[in-house]
Amino acid sequence: MSLALHASVPAGPGPMVKIVDLHVKFGRHEVLKGIHLEVAPREVLSIVGPSGSGKSTLLHCVNRLQTAHRGHIWIEGVDILAPGVDVNRLRRKVGMVFQHFNLFENKTVLDNVILAPVKLGLLPRAAAVARGLDLLRQLGLAAKAQAWPHNLSGGQKQRVAIARALAMDPDLMLFDEPTSALDPEMVKDVLDAMKDLARGGMTMMVVTHEMGFAREVSNRMVFLDEGLIVEDAPPEWFFNRPQNPRTKAFLEKIL
C-alpha cells in the first residue's frame, strides 16, 4: 500500500522551499558559500556530494537546526530566518529523519510516534494513537507498537523515526543520510518506505549516498562540492551526462 499520508500538499504558484545566498560558517571555515536552490511542491530532491561538502548543514538550515551566517530560506512563502519567526510552528510543517534514530529508549514505539502531536496539543491522545497505529501499519511495524526501541533492528528503528516525523502531518520531509548507519540488509525496507512517501506526493529533500534510490525516485539531483552547488539536473542528465568535472569524477568513483 502506498504511503499517501499527506493528501493535500500545497500546489500554489511558488516553490515549497526557496533558498537564496545561504552562507554558513563554523569559525573561520565557510561551510556553505552562497547556496541558491528551489524545491517545488511534491518534488523529490536528492543532495549528493563528498563528505564535508555541506550537505547535512544545508538540510539542517532548512529546519533551523543550524544558524545561517547570511541569506534567506522561504518555506511556503515564509522567510524562516527572519527575526521573530516561530521555530516550533515551522517544525510542525517540516519533518526530519536523521542518520541516527534518536528514539526515546524509555518509551514504546507507539509512544515515540505520538509524543509530539499529543504534547503540542495538535491531536487528542485517542486520535494520535489511531493515527500512530495507522502509520506503523503502513510502515510494516504494526506488530511492534508496544515494543521497546532496544528490541528493534536498525531498519525498524529508522522506520519508527519516519512514522514519528509523519505523525506531525508535515508538508516537507528532510532525510539526512537515513540509511548510512544501517547494515546493508536493513537498507531496503527504509528505502521502500521513502519510495512510498514519494509516490504519495510528499515533498522531500534527501541527503543520501544511495545512488540507485536517488536515480529511481528523485525529480532532481543536486551535487554539492566545497559548499557550492556545482550541478543541478534531472537524474537522467545527472548520471548520464554530467556537466561539471567534479561531478564526473565523483560518479566515476562511486558507481
Side-chain angles (χ1 to χ4, degrees):
M1 177 180 294
S2 175
L3 283 172
L5 302 174
H6 189 78
S8 57
V9 176
M16 172 75 74
V17 180
K18 182 176 181 179
I19 301 173
V20 175
D21 196 32
L22 185 67
H23 293 253
V24 174
K25 289 183 178 180
F26 296 154
R28 295 184 178 180
H29 177 54
E30 192 168 21
V31 180
L32 297 179
K33 303 175 182 177
I35 298 294
H36 295 263
L37 184 65
E38 292 188 2
V39 183
R42 306 176 71 88
E43 185 172 31
V44 178
L45 176 77
S46 286
I47 303 166
V48 301
S51 298
S53 59
K55 305 184 299 296
S56 293
T57 300
L58 172 58
L59 216 60
H60 291 180
C61 286
V62 176
N63 206 24
R64 284 286 299 269
L65 295 173
Q66 174 62 51
T67 301
H69 178 69
R70 188 170 85 233
H72 298 275
I73 302 174
W74 287 270
I75 297 180
E76 296 182 325
V78 176
D79 187 346
I80 67 169
L81 301 185
V85 166
D86 186 339
V87 176
N88 290 325
R89 184 174 293 275
L90 160 72
R91 289 179 182 151
R92 295 176 194 175
K93 293 184 173 186
V94 182
M96 188 155 188
V97 177
F98 299 88
Q99 176 179 347
H100 298 288
F101 327 112
N102 300 334
L103 300 180
F104 292 103
E105 294 291 333
N106 63 339
K107 295 184 181 296
T108 66
V109 164
L110 180 59
D111 284 339
N112 266 278
V113 172
I114 69 172
L115 178 64
V118 170
K119 189 172 183 179
L120 294 172
L122 301 179
L123 288 174
R125 181 176 175 84
V129 166
R131 176 166 172 75
L133 290 172
D134 188 48
L135 288 169
L136 291 172
R137 177 185 58 78
Q138 293 187 65
L139 286 160
L141 295 168
K144 300 295 184 180
Q146 299 305 322
W148 300 98
H150 68 265
N151 290 324
L152 302 180
S153 70
Q156 290 169 334
K157 289 180 181 179
Q158 195 61 292
R159 282 182 284 153
V160 173
I162 293 172
R164 179 179 58 185
L166 293 171
M168 295 294 289
D169 196 24
D171 294 339
L172 170 68
M173 283 288 287
L174 310 176
F175 292 88
D176 187 10
E177 301 193 25
T179 61
S180 61
L182 302 179
D183 293 333
E185 65 269 22
M186 299 176 184
V187 169
K188 182 179 183 299
D189 287 342
V190 174
L191 293 182
D192 284 346
M194 294 170 65
K195 290 175 185 178
D196 276 348
L197 272 181
R199 284 191 287 266
M202 179 63 74
T203 310
M204 297 163 59
M205 297 176 68
V206 184
V207 171
T208 184
H209 293 293
E210 299 288 344
M211 293 298 119
F213 166 84
R215 185 195 294 259
E216 178 182 351
V217 177
S218 303
N219 303 106
R220 280 168 55 219
M221 302 286 303
V222 162
F223 180 73
L224 253 65
D225 187 45
E226 296 185 351
L228 292 168
I229 293 176
V230 299
E231 193 104 25
D232 183 344
E236 180 181 353
W237 283 86
F238 182 87
F239 286 103
N240 298 326
R241 292 182 287 277
Q243 301 300 301
N244 189 280
R246 277 293 294 120
T247 313
K248 293 178 183 179
F250 176 80
L251 292 173
E252 286 171 0
K253 184 177 294 186
I254 65 169
L255 295 180

